[in-house]
Amino acid sequence: LALLVNEVVSNSIKHGAGDIEVTLRPDGENVFLEICDSGRGFPQGFNPQRAANTGLELIDSAARWDLRGEITYTNREQGGACVTVT
């Protein structure tokens, strides 16, 4: 989990802007980790599999295989990118 958070926050520092919010909240049997920034967000048509680099592959592997979760990449209405791991 720490490695995943470090990698997503590092990407937010490199590619985003403004404050970075890290939220971890339980919801029943699930736990949601959200890391959001205030930058310009993901480009239109962003596909993490096509854009894969070592960092994104590490994030995906940690989320799906190590944590047995799901990961989504979205843009916030107020601007910025948000990565959510369930």
Side-chain angles (χ1 to χ4, degrees), residues 16-63:
D19 293 333
I20 299 169
E21 301 170 24
V22 179
T23 307
L24 184 67
R25 63 181 171 80
D27 185 14
E29 292 184 15
N30 292 315
V31 175
F32 294 89
L33 169 66
E34 286 186 330
I35 302 170
C36 304
D37 65 43
S38 302
R40 60 181 181 256
F42 295 107
Q44 188 173 5
F46 176 75
N47 181 326
Q49 281 74 33
R50 279 191 261 151
N53 58 39
T54 304
L56 286 176
E57 289 173 1
L58 178 65
I59 292 166
D60 189 68
S61 176

Side-chain angles (χ1 to χ4, degrees), residues 1 12 15 18 28 31 48 52-53 56 63 65-66 80-82:
L1 181 61
S12 291
H15 305 291
V31 175
N53 58 39
L56 286 176
W65 300 107
D66 296 339
C82 192

